[in-house]
Amino acid sequence: MKRWSRPLHHAANILNPDIDQTSESVRLHMRCLMQWLEQTYTKEHDRPMVTNFKSYTNGFWKGLFTCYDHPHVPRTNNDHERFFRRTKTRHRRMTGLRSWNEYIMRSGEFVVFVDDALRQTDVLNRLQSVSYEVFHAERQRWARRLEETTKRRRFRR
């Protein structure tokens, strides 16, 4: 079993961002790693690991290398996941409900950003810079957007 951790360490080292790396160079190294994996781990009990590694990597292949050519794109979505976990935890504490699906359906999917915006220091200045007409037009657009979901919800009940 310890022998199987070696390819994962190789993949982690290849995918670890460096100044000189481009998506093409990382893609090439990953292809070489996958070929090496198939040639090295040829025993029958190694087959599930090789198959799993290849299918998992191929599943992410299309978006796996974007962060090397575009520095504004994060390599992982860990920060994104933490943000949602914090927001869900706050909702759970406020309402006592484990699921927040109903809350999202009722208020819209961007409601998670409101919670984050309220904790920002310059939110009042940003809100004051928006004219009433722009706010009112956006509010009407948002109400129309949620209207369809509300109708469906009411119909089901």
Side-chain angles (χ1 to χ4, degrees):
M1 190 74 164
K2 188 175 183 179
R3 176 176 130 97
W4 288 5
S5 65
R6 202 172 346 158
L8 296 178
H9 289 297
H10 285 307
N13 287 336
I14 291 170
L15 294 172
N16 196 16
D18 200 6
I19 295 171
D20 300 352
Q21 286 180 322
T22 64
S23 60
E24 271 310 307
S25 66
V26 177
R27 191 176 285 118
L28 176 68
H29 282 96
M30 283 300 289
R31 280 192 189 117
C32 291
L33 174 66
M34 289 172 62
Q35 288 174 352
W36 172 81
L37 197 64
E38 285 181 320
Q39 294 168 357
T40 305
Y41 294 91
T42 56
K43 295 182 180 167
E44 189 58 37
H45 66 275
D46 291 334
R47 182 140 335 271
M49 185 270 300
V50 173
T51 305
N52 186 35
F53 185 88
K54 284 178 58 180
S55 66
Y56 194 76
T57 304
N58 286 333
F60 287 105
W61 194 265
K62 188 176 178 182
L64 192 60
F65 310 104
T66 306
C67 65
Y68 300 101
D69 292 334
H70 304 284
H72 61 278
V73 175
R75 188 170 70 99
T76 67
N77 69 344
N78 291 344
D79 292 336
H80 193 237
E81 295 290 338
R82 280 189 203 106
F83 169 71
F84 278 112
R85 189 179 314 121
R86 266 195 320 268
T87 307
K88 285 173 80 171
T89 301
R90 287 175 52 89
H91 176 262
R92 209 175 288 141
R93 285 181 183 153
M94 287 187 298
T95 64
L97 301 173
R98 182 139 179 90
S99 173
W100 70 336
N101 294 344
E102 190 70 26
Y103 177 59
I104 297 295
M105 292 298 289
R106 189 173 51 252
S107 305
E109 64 273 9
F110 292 114
V111 75
V112 295
F113 297 114
V114 172
D115 185 50
D116 184 55
L118 293 175
R119 285 187 256 141
Q120 295 176 10
T121 56
D122 63 341
V123 71
L124 191 57
N125 292 335
R126 290 172 49 206
L127 289 174
Q128 288 173 342
S129 70
V130 176
S131 71
Y132 179 75
E133 292 78 21
V134 171
F135 165 76
H136 188 66
E138 186 62 28
R139 181 70 178 113
Q140 286 179 333
R141 188 186 71 75
W142 187 248
R144 283 192 304 272
R145 166 126 169 35
L146 292 179
E147 194 173 301
E148 188 62 36
T149 305
T150 304
K151 284 180 185 177
R152 258 189 264 127
R153 215 171 112 251
R154 286 179 182 159
F155 179 76
R156 280 185 287 170
R157 289 188 174 190

